[in-house]
């Protein structure tokens, strides 16, 4: 009995000792991505990218002589877990800033945490709401994000439509955060571009077939369809569109379509589909004098060499986030408030998805020029004119 | 650009609904086979469908095995998983109450899903359609050749099961277990074997549903649960334990979804299907073709 | 029966009381009170569910809906109507009770798997409403800016303060449920579980009891939802989906369906497993979770709390 | 003593018809149960005896006909209403509360005679606590009466069949009934157990409680019944004292016609 108590006691001491081991001199940076769960196609490349960038920095001697210690957590696409992990990073791991989460819903879920704890967050999710407080009409002070807002993608598509003379369209969206916020922007911006939305259809992320919605759209004979979704459903939609012989109705995908894997899965059905993409999707298509040509090519080559898999544009959001943070750390050191200030005034940061120009009123720092309109041609992207 | 006449649209909705409904029906049949012998709702049924699709992708696309042979191998492989499910998750339970059995199937479905994620990763996979992707245009109504395969397999499964339960000794023994397990035991039927057989059979049917669905909707590791719930809904709507009920329930559910997506609101289409399901249950507490008197005698 | 409960109840109460202090001493678990807030919120739901499923023998695969109703009623009222959060919580509970009566009265006439499907359907429908009525709920993106709670001017803005609030409520509900189980009403519920025909023959109004216990569990679910919303300051529909309903059932099955202790133990274990411990298995997480569940089902069909009792019985023999 | 001469009937059934779908289970049954007596209903299997019990206790409403209890029409009432009026029952298949102890089973039987508020119970109001104490005493008294006091803390499903049947009768008595309907209390019991059951039934009558009995054990029926009604194929073919029934040619034919399995003499 005494022996047993002694063992338990020793074990406790050992655990405590391990737990309060002295922290090394390093910059602690947190990351939360949806590495597993429904949004793993975002979180997985983001995690890989962030780790790759940090490894590269540390190999080059770190920042100001300090290594970056990147602590990555997986929120499993779950709001409760995400919230807990955010608090754990701030209060227990004592990080100076956090990048992620991967999806809009979860980023929104932790906005209150970072505002309260006064810690910078650079989100890797699209929704405009993440950097826009409805009550004040301004960004949340401590929250930034790198992906282009949905509104920019919508503007890029609507601009292309104006060029093509399209006025009457149908929209489709998946009943998830990504689809819902895209749909909201599509509806909000349509009047400004004099575009008439004749059908507003939805489908579930696990639906097997969208023929019914497309048939209804076919009956209304719009000039174009815009689909806003991610994952397998966006492939099914394109296939159904092709099956129903609706090629005359031009098909636009959201920037969520930005992976060559999707063209492959569509099995030829994606031919002629338009899609707004960030520079990093199409690095090799960019003209040599494009400002992002160099960073995107380097990233693409590094990533493919390291992980031996095609680049996903979502990883680029993590590249932008961690690189921005590294830049800030280099300039001002591990001070939360100074990092926040630095980010807010950062201009001309050349990233994977655009050239960022932050300001007190804009915590995203991108314009619709961050998107290139591309079209699927011969099973690959081509720049659309 | 000519618009589509309303009548053609309606036909298109029906074609779509029946196809999806046929998949639901096959899942529902799988539920019924196991339910009839064991009174368990096997919530891992959807995972059989998922496995059917993904195993077929591996065998047919990655290994290049020709279609008919790949079909056979896939069904066989998934059947084996069904057998393992019974041996490793169901049979070891010493004091089987219906609730523990259901939890065991939930646990099994989580494990199968997790293993599938480890094997195939998280991205979706495609399978070539069995006879090409050139749509058939029937006077404005578009039919994918794969749709015919889906409906065709439902018919084959239905005929096959009818033959199995009415004509073969094993089928008759299984029906006997379903009617009265104690009496079946008395006349010398090995109920354990029948339970095993029921898992094997419903896994096989699940696999067929999965590999015919994949060319239409792609397949990924996470798809099982949703299909299981739709299939469960179809089985309940038709009346648990009734095979004609399962087919009717599946087709009706598919039709309601397609029609409400096309005619009412696509955001609420699943809700409409479920509201109708609830309404049916409140009027007929044992489903459309279910027998209330029989369900009274079931433990669950 | 109360005798059996008193000792562990006292031990549990002391542990709950001193847990934050213990956690503060050990840096590796210093964030556990935060986890315990969620564990407490889950416990609140499973306490009701245990009464409904374990004691009265009914099934619900839709309880996430009540959790969500509480969260959304509280959330919408406090953000869009500047309603006092406590009042919102009460109104949420009232709405949940009302919905439970309306849905429960026809549903609880169904039996077994049919009841399971009906409650499952109810849960999915409610979730679709949360998702689609974006004007009120913020849609799939969720709803931000839900205020925190304060009590007599004291803002409950730290994990520890909220921990005491949540576990105080859990303790009260636990006591209430223990009293209930040992009362004629509790026996009536167990009688319904064992034999509806005999229960009716003893003069127990079955339909009414089923609906009352359903509503009671709905109210607890709703309270838990409100507590969740005001703690997270954010809610989204995915939190209240059918997989959460199934997770709730897993909690009470894992803990032990036939005892109120099972609800407590199951909720805490599953909360810690899914929110913290399983992370260490990384991509094997899902498989490990399933394996734990399966092993408990096979080797401890009475759940985790059934095991010690069985062990004691064996030792006595 | 024939049914027509009953002065003070506790239960009167008039022209009762019960049809399930196309199947008529009971046809124009008239039956009268005199207060304070033991009345038996016998008949071959499938004669409709259990159906009759189910209708009296409200499990399903009759297709046609009238049932009066203490002069008040009760046909169509819910089971728990009928139990509240003073009719209690046991089941052919023994429906004990297997998740409870012997004592708890009887205590649950007292449900109608106590106050049971859901929220009052949860708050453990002092009045309810006092009531609970009294309840245990009442239940123990009943267990003494049926002879199961020593087994109070055993789970109901751990008892042997004979005691399960006795306990079910005890639980039925706990509702303070004026009429108990016993559905085959001796089925499956051995001779000693049957004798014990017969004694108990007689003791119940001595307490002034009327007994309506369905049973196949003819010796027991003939020994303890005051009156017997005979059903065959859903129709009442005879009614009278045990002696009258034993000599009734129709009854003999009904039993012999079924294969002569029962010796009603």
């Amino acid at each position: 009995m005494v022996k047993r108590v002694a063992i338990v006691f020793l074990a406790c001491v050992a655990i405590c000792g391990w737990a309060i081991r002295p922290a090394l001199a390093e910059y602690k940076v947190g990351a939360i991505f949806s590495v597993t769960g429904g949004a793993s196609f975002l979180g997985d490349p983001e995690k890989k990218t962030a780790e790759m960038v940090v490894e590269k920095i540390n190999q080059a001697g770190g920042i100001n002589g300090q290594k970056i210690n990147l602590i990555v957590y997986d929120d499993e696409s779950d709001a409760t877990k995400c919230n807990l992990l955010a608090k754990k990073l701030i209060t227990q791991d004592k990080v100076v800033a956090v990048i992620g989460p991967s999806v809009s819903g979860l980023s929104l879920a932790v906005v209150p945490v970072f505002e309260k704890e006064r810690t910078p967050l650079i989100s890797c999710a699209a929704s405009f709401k993440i950097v826009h407080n409805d009550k004040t009409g301004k960004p949340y002070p401590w929250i930034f994000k790198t992906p282009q807002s949905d509104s920019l993608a919508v503007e890029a598509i609507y601009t292309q439509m104006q060029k093509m003379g399209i006025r009457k369209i149908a929209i489709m969206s998946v009943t998830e955060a990504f689809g819902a916020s895209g749909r909201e922007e599509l509806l909000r911006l349509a009047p400004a571009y004099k575009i008439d939305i004749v059908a507003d259809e939805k489908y579930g992320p696990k639906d097997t077939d969208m023929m019914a919605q497309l048939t209804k759209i076919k009956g209304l004979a719009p000039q174009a369809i815009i689909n806003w979704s991610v994952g397998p459903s966006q492939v099914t939609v394109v296939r159904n569109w092709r099956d129903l012989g609706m090629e005359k109705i031009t098909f636009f995908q959201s920037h969520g379509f930005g992976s060559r894997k999707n063209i492959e899965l569509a099995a030829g059905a994606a031919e002629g589909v338009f899609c707004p993409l960030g520079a990093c999707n199409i690095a090799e298509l960019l003209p040599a004098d494009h400002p992002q040509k160099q960073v995107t090519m380097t990233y693409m080559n590094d990533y493919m060499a390291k992980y031996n898999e095609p680049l996903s544009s979502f990883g680029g959001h993590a590249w932008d986030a961690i690189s921005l943070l590294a830049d800030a750390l280099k300039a001002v050191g591990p001070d939360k408030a100074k990092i926040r200030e630095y980010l807010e005034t950062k201009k001309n940061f050349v990233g994977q998805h655009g050239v960022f120009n932050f300001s007190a009123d804009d915590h995203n720092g991108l314009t619709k020029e961050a998107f290139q309109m591309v079209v699927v041609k011969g099973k690959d992207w081509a720049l659309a004119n | 650009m000519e618009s589509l006449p309303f009548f053609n649209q309606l036909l298109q909705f029906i074609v779509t609904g029946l196809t999806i409904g046929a998949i639901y029906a096959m899942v529902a049949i799988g539920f019924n086979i196991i339910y009839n012998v064991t009174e368990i709702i096997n919530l891992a049924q959807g995972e059989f469908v998922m496995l059917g699709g993904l195993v077929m992708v591996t065998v047919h696309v990655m290994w290049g095995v020709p279609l008919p042979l790949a079909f056979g191998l896939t069904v066989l492989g998934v059947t084996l998983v069904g057998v393992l499910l019974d041996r490793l998750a169901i049979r070891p339970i010493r004091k089987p109450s219906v609730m523990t059995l259901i939890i065991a199937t939930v646990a099994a479905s989580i494990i199968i899903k997790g293993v599938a994620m480890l094997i195939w990763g998280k991205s979706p996979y495609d399978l070539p359609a069995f006879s090409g992707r050139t749509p058939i245009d029937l006077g404005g109504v578009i039919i994918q050749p794969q749709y015919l395969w889906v409906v065709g397999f439902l018919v084959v499964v239905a005929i096959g099961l009818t033959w199995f339960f009415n004509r073969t000794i094993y089928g008759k023994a299984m029906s006997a277990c379903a009617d009265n397990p104690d009496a079946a035991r008395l006349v010398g039927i090995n109920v354990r074997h029948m339970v095993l057989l029921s898992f094997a059979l419903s896994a096989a049917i699940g696999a067929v549903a999965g590999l015919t669905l994949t060319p239409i909707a792609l397949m990924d590791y996470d798809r099982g649960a949703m299909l299981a719930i739709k299939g469960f809904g179809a089985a309940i709507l038709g009346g648990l334990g009734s095979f004609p009920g399962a087919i009717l329930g599946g087709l009706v559910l598919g039709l309601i979804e397609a029609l409400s997506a096309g005619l009412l609101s696509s955001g609420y289409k699943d809700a409409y299907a479920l509201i109708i399901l609830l309404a049916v249950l409140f009027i007929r507490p044992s489903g459309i073709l279910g027998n209330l008197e029989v369900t009274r005698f079931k433990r669950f | 029966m109360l005798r059996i409960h008193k000792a562990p109840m006292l031990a549990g109460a002391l542990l709950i009381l001193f847990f934050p202090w213990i956690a503060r001493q050990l840096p590796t678990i210093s964030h556990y009170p935060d986890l315990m807030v969620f564990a407490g919120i889950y416990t609140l739901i499973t306490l009701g569910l245990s009464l409904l499923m374990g004691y009265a023998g009914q099934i619900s695969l839709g309880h996430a809906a009540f959790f969500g109703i509480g969260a959304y009623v509280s959330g919408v009222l406090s953000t869009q109507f500047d309603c006092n959060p406590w009042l919102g919580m009460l109104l949420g509970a009232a709405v949940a009770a009302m919905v439970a009566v309306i849905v429960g009265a026809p549903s609880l006439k169904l039996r077994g798997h049919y009841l399971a499907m009906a409650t499952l359907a109810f849960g999915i429908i409610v979730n679709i409403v949360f998702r689609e009525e974006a004007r009120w709920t913020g849609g799939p993106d969720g709803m931000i800016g839900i205020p925190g709670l304060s009590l007599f001017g004291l803002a409950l803005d730290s994990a520890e303060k909220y921990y005491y609030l949540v576990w105080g409520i859990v303790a009260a509900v636990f006591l209430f449920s223990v009293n209930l189980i040992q009362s004629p009403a509790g026996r009536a519920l167990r009688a319904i579980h064992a034999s509806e025909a005999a229960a009716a023959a003893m003069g127990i109004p079955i339909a009414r009891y089923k609906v009352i216990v359903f509503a009671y569990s709905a109210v607890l679910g709703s309270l838990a939802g409100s507590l969740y919303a005001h703690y997270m300051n954010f809610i989204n529909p995915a939190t209240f989906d059918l997989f959460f309903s199934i997770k709730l059932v897993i909690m009470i099955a894992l803990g032990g369906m036939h005892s109120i202790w099972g609800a407590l133990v199951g909720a805490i274990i599953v909360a810690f497993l899914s929110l913290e411990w399983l992370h260490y298995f990384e991509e094997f997480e899902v498989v490990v979770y399933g394996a734990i569940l399966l092993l408990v089902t096979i080797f401890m069909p009475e759940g985790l709390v059934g095991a010690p009792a069985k062990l004691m019985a064996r030792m006595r023999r | 003593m024939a049914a027509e001469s009953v002065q003070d009937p506790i239960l009167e059934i008039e022209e009762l018809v019960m049809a399930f779908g196309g199947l008529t289970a009971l046809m124009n049954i008239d039956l009268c149960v005199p207060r304070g007596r033991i009345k038996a209903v016998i008949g071959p299997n499938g004669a409709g005896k259990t159906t009759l019990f189910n209708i009296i206790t409200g499990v399903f409403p009759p297709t046609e006909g009238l049932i009066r209890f203490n002069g008040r029409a009760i046909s169509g009432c819910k089971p728990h209403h009928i139990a509240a009026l003073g009719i209690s029952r046991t089941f052919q298949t023994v429906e004990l509360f297997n998740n409870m102890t012997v004592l708890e089973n009887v205590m649950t039987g007292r449900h109608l005679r106590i106050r049971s508020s859901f929220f009052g119970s949860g708050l453990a109001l002092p009045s309810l606590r006092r009531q609970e104490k009294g309840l245990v005493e009442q239940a123990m008294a009943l267990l003494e009466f049926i002879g199961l006091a020593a087994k109070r803390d055993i789970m109901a499903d751990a008892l042997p069949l004979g005691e399960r049947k006795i306990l079910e009768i005890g639980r039925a008595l706990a509702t303070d009934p004026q009429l108990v309907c016993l559905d085959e209390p001796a089925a499956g019991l051995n001779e000693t157990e049957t004798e014990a059951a017969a004694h108990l039934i007689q003791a119940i009558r001595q307490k002034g409680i009327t007994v309506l009995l369905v049973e196949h054990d003819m010796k027991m029926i003939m020994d303890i019944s005051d009156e017997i009604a005979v059903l065959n194929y859903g129709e009442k073919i005879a009614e009278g004292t045990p002696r009258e029934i034993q000599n009734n040619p129709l009854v003999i034919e009904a039993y012999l016609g079924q294969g002569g399995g029962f010796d009603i003499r």
Side-chain angles (χ1 to χ4, degrees), chain B residues 114-251:
Chain B
V115 172
M117 188 185 88
L118 291 176
I119 298 176
W120 286 280
K122 294 158 207 154
S123 37
Y125 288 88
D126 186 24
L127 196 63
F130 296 173
S131 41
R133 289 199 192 279
T134 320
I136 305 162
D137 190 338
L138 280 183
V141 179
I142 309 292
I143 299 176
Q144 267 288 328
Q146 192 66 23
Y147 287 9
L148 300 176
W149 282 104
V150 170
V151 176
F153 271 117
L154 176 64
V155 173
V156 170
V157 164
I159 292 172
L161 283 181
T162 313
W163 173 78
F164 177 75
F165 283 116
N166 293 333
R167 291 270 183 274
T168 67
I169 188 92
Y170 274 104
K172 284 180 185 168
M174 257 172 94
S175 310
C177 285
D179 293 340
N180 188 339
D182 295 327
R185 203 169 282 125
L186 281 179
V187 300
I189 296 171
N190 187 334
V191 176
R192 281 188 151 189
H193 282 181
M194 292 304 130
V195 172
L196 186 75
L197 188 61
S198 72
F199 272 89
L201 203 56
S202 73
I205 293 171
V208 171
L211 59 85
T212 46
L213 173 66
T214 305
I216 298 176
L218 310 180
M219 190 55 73
D220 55 88
Y221 80 101
D222 204 16
R223 200 64 83 71
M226 213 59 215
L227 286 165
I229 283 158
K230 295 278 168 85
F232 183 31
I236 291 279
L237 182 63
L240 261 185
S242 155
F243 290 107
I247 295 172
L248 185 70
L251 297 180

Side-chain angles (χ1 to χ4, degrees), chain C residues 196-247:
Chain C
E196 289 196 10
M202 297 302 115
I204 296 167
I206 295 177
R208 203 169 82 215
Y209 265 91
K210 283 185 186 172
V211 172
I212 288 178
V213 71
F214 193 61
Y216 174 67
S217 66
V219 166
L220 291 185
S222 165
L223 280 181
S226 300
L227 288 171
Y228 177 87
H230 292 298
Y231 186 58
M232 286 275 289
N233 309 118
F234 168 88
I235 45 176
N236 67 348
T239 309
F240 312 105
D241 64 4
L242 76 108
F243 296 104
F244 187 71
S245 293
I246 291 174
K247 198 162 162 183

Side-chain angles (χ1 to χ4, degrees), chain A residues 16 18-20 74 76 79-81 83-84 87-88 92 104-105 108-109 111 116 129 175-177 180-181 202, chain C residues 26-28 30-31 34-35 38 131-132 138 140-141 144 157 228 231-234 236 274-276 279 285:
Chain A
C16 298
W18 172 72
I20 54 175
D74 174 13
E76 296 166 37
T80 312
K81 283 178 198 169
N83 176 290
L84 276 166
K87 286 186 273 189
K88 193 177 172 190
Q92 199 170 7
S104 303
L108 285 170
V111 165
K116 196 169 107 190
K129 288 189 215 161
T175 53
E176 283 179 317
S181 64
K202 297 177 189 171
Chain C
L26 300 169
T28 26
S30 64
H31 61 296
D34 200 2
L35 285 162
F38 291 101
R131 200 185 66 202
E132 289 298 314
D141 259 347
I144 198 169
D157 53 358
Y228 177 87
Y231 186 58
M232 286 275 289
N233 309 118
F234 168 88
N236 67 348
S274 66
L275 297 177
E276 174 86 10
H279 281 306
E285 174 177 339

